[in-house]
Amino acid sequence: MPFAELGLDPKLLSAVTAAGYHDPTPIQAQAIPAVLGGRDVTGIAQTGTGKTAAFVLPMIHKLGQGRAKARMPRSLILEPTRELAAQVSENFEKYGVNYKLSMALLIGGVSFGDQDRKLTAGVDVLIATPGRLIDQFERGKLLLSGVQMLVIDEADRMLDMGFIPDIERICGLLPRTRQTLLFSATMPPEITRLAQQFQSDPMRIEVAKPATAATTITQYMTPCPSNEDTVKRAVLRTIITAASTQNGIVFCNRKREVDTVAKSLQKHGFDAAAIHGDLPQSLRTQTLDRFRNGELRLLVASDVAARGLDIPEVSQVFNYAPPPNADDYVHRIGRTGRAGRSGESYTIVSPGDQRLWDAVTKRIAKDVELFRPEGFDEAVAAAKGRGPAPRRSSADDRRPRKASNHQEDERGSDDSVAEGGRSGRRRRPRRGERSPPPVAAETDDARPTQPPEPEATPATDGPRRRRGGRGRHRGSEQPAAAAATSESFRPEDAFRGMGDHVPAFLLRKIGADEQA
Ligand code: AMP
């Protein structure tokens, strides 16, 4: 079905044509007529499916038929991150080019003064992160009683970031008779509940199964025989080189890891730069622009910073480790293979990552090809400081092999101790041993469920209940990540204890002995 048959205003159709689009994507084909008809919509769609235009186009169509009043926005789009909010505003400008609609972007890192002036003049659409929106509301700069259409975008990410209480509060400030559109890549029970609470008889549109990766992505997994960062970084470099990377995103689980990996890649001559929540907004935008324009080859990112970013032609995605949340794996690899293009993803799995990897493979319900790039053994041996290992035959190199969802039994002795032997599964720590600290997810906008890293500065868009709020623990999905600490895990730490031996003085009865 062509765009012309969706019922959109001709001015919008010409903007769509100017943007180079001919046919609507499946989510657009289903959502646009429903939204124009006034229905609430629950869209289950990953980024890359064209979901932004699915709500921006009918919203502009409707806004074209009215006028903005001072301090009373007519529509509201909630986004979890500043980058995503900025990206939606770019879409709004692109598709709204033939309209005189006003827009305000309420995100951290932009001065209140500029935002105040726009709000006072009256805006047709407000694109905001929840924290900043509530700040502005509490400052008395905003009335939400004129909002006729609400979009909650990336709802599952909002949940992860602890924004649900803020969203509930914002919904309570809006008129009851309004249209509510909710988009989410996955539908965990909390989001279903949110939809039931704030939507009225929504049309459910599902364009890809939740947590299903696009079929255009070839997924590889590279077992790393050690948990040591130097070894993992060497493995990463080998993979990037072997994959003939044009441009790619390297995902890390911690902000500090993002910095270290980016610096290490730069040191080894790779064109790489970091993006994460602790970096100044101006630098994040600049880095992202360079990457988009093809001036930067490798973007090293955290999940939150990269979430939903529209970067059209990424050839490869690299996971320095599997993410603590299996859903994020799908989001990460969804950065490649977009809009029908083919893409590749590579995940490094060290013994300490095995549990996370098990969760990922369970979630995607498929085996992933094993990838051992040329020079792998040499790189690992050199990084371990033992000199090059005996050369494998070239026939073995870069040959994707069918892998089980567990690593093959190829690990060195160092990590098999730390992670419970050669099976790669964790064992329970013995008495006297310390458990390895759990993996920490990045907290760009400070999730209440996870303590920020020590050097982290609070981001202005953060959820308002930072501790003890109702933000979701992913519970059984990421038991290790929930009580995160940000320190890197060092295998030797697990064995700094007294083992089973308890010194005699600790067994002595206190009190009785001392009185005698
Ligand atoms: P989104 O899922 O909104 O992040 O969009 C993903 C990408 O698809 C963006 O680069 C859009 O510009 C692009 N896109 C949106 N609609 C269409 C369409 N109808 N045909 C082709 N590409 C589109």
Side-chain angles (χ1 to χ4, degrees):
M1 182 197 286
F3 266 110
E5 287 176 28
L6 297 181
L8 289 167
D9 188 292
K11 282 194 283 184
L12 269 172
L13 292 177
S14 66
V16 167
T17 308
Y21 306 142
H22 304 292
D23 295 314
T25 62
I27 184 121
Q28 292 165 358
Q30 294 174 76
I32 292 172
V35 179
L36 290 177
R39 279 199 74 172
D40 282 2
V41 166
T42 307
I44 305 160
Q46 302 171 41
T47 50
T49 54
K51 71 177 166 66
T52 314
F55 61 82
V56 168
L57 288 171
M59 182 181 269
I60 295 175
H61 177 107
K62 292 190 148 199
L63 291 173
Q65 299 152 7
R67 287 188 64 81
K69 290 188 203 143
R71 284 192 293 148
M72 288 180 72
R74 299 161 66 204
S75 58
L76 172 63
I77 301 174
L78 293 176
E79 294 290 339
T81 64
R82 304 166 197 179
E83 280 83 3
L84 214 40
Q87 203 166 282
V88 170
S89 80
E90 282 165 21
N91 271 259
F92 209 87
E93 277 166 2
K94 179 167 73 175
Y95 300 125
V97 63
N98 299 321
Y99 292 80
K100 284 202 175 102
L101 296 174
S102 56
M103 172 183 71
L105 196 53
L106 293 196
I107 54 174
V110 177
S111 85
F112 275 116
D114 289 349
Q115 296 178 354
D116 288 353
R117 271 189 291 282
K118 282 201 163 175
L119 291 173
T120 307
V123 292
D124 295 292
V125 63
L126 197 56
I127 304 168
T129 48
R132 184 50 86 99
L133 180 77
I134 290 183
D135 283 346
Q136 283 284 21
F137 182 81
E138 285 176 347
R139 291 173 72 240
K141 299 291 175 189
L142 186 62
L143 289 168
L144 292 172
S145 50
V147 172
Q148 294 144 29
M149 190 188 283
L150 166 71
V151 177
I152 303 170
D153 194 20
E154 300 275 345
D156 54 351
R157 176 53 51 156
M158 299 269 204
L159 175 72
D160 286 344
M161 295 173 70
F163 280 137
I164 298 301
D166 284 345
I167 292 172
E168 287 172 340
R169 182 162 171 217
I170 291 165
C171 286
L173 301 169
L174 304 177
R176 278 180 173 275
T177 49
R178 58 157 200 271
Q179 196 173 7
T180 304
L181 317 179
L182 182 146
F183 293 87
S184 193
T186 58
M187 281 303 272
E190 294 91 333
I191 298 301
T192 306
R193 217 174 303 127
L194 191 75
Q196 283 164 353
Q197 197 181 345
F198 295 112
Q199 292 192 294
S200 157
D201 185 27
M203 179 177 177
R204 187 181 163 102
I205 302 172
E206 190 167 347
V207 293
K209 275 169 127 183
T212 302
T215 50
T216 47
I217 306 166
T218 311
Q219 301 172 51
Y220 297 108
M221 182 274 257
T222 300
C224 175
S226 168
N227 289 323
E228 285 170 46
D229 282 325
T230 43
V231 179
K232 289 193 83 171
R233 291 197 294 264
V235 168
L236 174 68
R237 293 193 296 273
T238 316
I239 296 174
I240 291 173
T241 306
S244 314
T245 309
Q246 293 150 22
N247 68 340
I249 306 179
V250 181
F251 282 99
C252 300
N253 289 347
R254 307 175 182 90
K255 292 173 195 172
R256 198 183 307 163
E257 212 166 59
V258 169
D259 278 332
T260 323
V261 169
K263 280 188 193 127
S264 158
L265 285 170
Q266 287 162 4
K267 205 179 89 187
H268 285 86
F270 290 86
D271 183 20
I275 178 169
H276 63 68
D278 282 355
L279 295 170
Q281 182 63 30
S282 54
L283 186 61
R284 288 158 77 171
T285 311
Q286 196 188 47
T287 303
L288 203 56
D289 285 346
R290 280 174 54 219
F291 188 68
R292 273 211 193 99
N293 300 338
E295 293 158 24
L296 175 71
R297 199 170 137 225
L298 289 168
L299 189 68
V300 188
S302 60
D303 289 296
V304 175
R307 174 69 183 220
L309 294 181
D310 180 21
I311 303 159
E313 289 174 65
V314 179
S315 62
Q316 275 105 5
V317 162
F318 304 92
N319 294 315
Y320 185 67
N325 180 333
D327 279 346
D328 279 335
Y329 176 81
V330 179
H331 291 301
R332 285 182 179 187
I333 69 170
R335 307 291 93 223
T336 183
R338 304 183 92 180
R341 295 186 194 98
S342 62
E344 290 171 348
S345 77
Y346 297 84
T347 304
I348 301 173
V349 181
S350 66
D353 300 326
Q354 187 64 50
R355 206 148 58 107
L356 300 178
W357 182 242
D358 287 347
V360 165
T361 49
K362 195 171 157 207
R363 177 56 56 95
I364 59 174
K366 66 180 270 195
D367 283 347
V368 172
E369 298 276 318
L370 195 70
F371 182 68
R372 284 180 66 97
E374 195 168 341
F376 177 87
D377 291 338
E378 290 86 343
V380 168
K384 280 182 166 175
R386 290 199 210 120
R391 184 81 174 78
R392 290 162 53 87
S393 80
S394 58
D396 286 347
D397 287 330
R398 210 185 185 282
R399 188 185 65 190
R401 276 181 281 148
K402 203 73 180 168
S404 75
N405 288 340
H406 296 286
Q407 290 186 39
E408 290 189 341
D409 194 7
E410 297 175 327
R411 300 179 197 101
S413 56
D414 51 352
D415 40 66
S416 60
V417 175
E419 285 300 324
R422 301 171 74 80
S423 73
R425 289 192 180 281
R426 278 168 195 263
R427 62 166 166 78
R428 293 165 75 83
R430 287 193 203 100
R431 201 151 50 97
E433 287 175 9
R434 278 194 353 213
S435 306
V439 179
E442 193 223 353
T443 56
D444 185 1
D445 295 314
R447 302 178 198 193
T449 51
Q450 294 158 344
E453 293 195 26
E455 76 275 23
T457 48
T460 44
D461 296 339
R464 306 173 70 73
R465 289 172 199 82
R466 284 172 204 244
R467 275 177 203 88
R470 281 181 283 156
R472 185 172 76 130
H473 288 266
R474 281 253 174 189
S476 57
E477 283 172 27
Q478 62 176 110
T485 116
S486 58
E487 291 303 316
S488 295
F489 167 58
R490 292 180 305 163
E492 64 271 24
D493 285 348
F495 296 89
R496 272 193 212 140
M498 291 179 282
D500 288 332
H501 172 67
V502 182
F505 75 89
L506 283 180
L507 297 171
R508 222 174 57 207
K509 276 190 190 154
I510 307 173
D513 285 355
E514 279 169 1
Q515 279 163 14

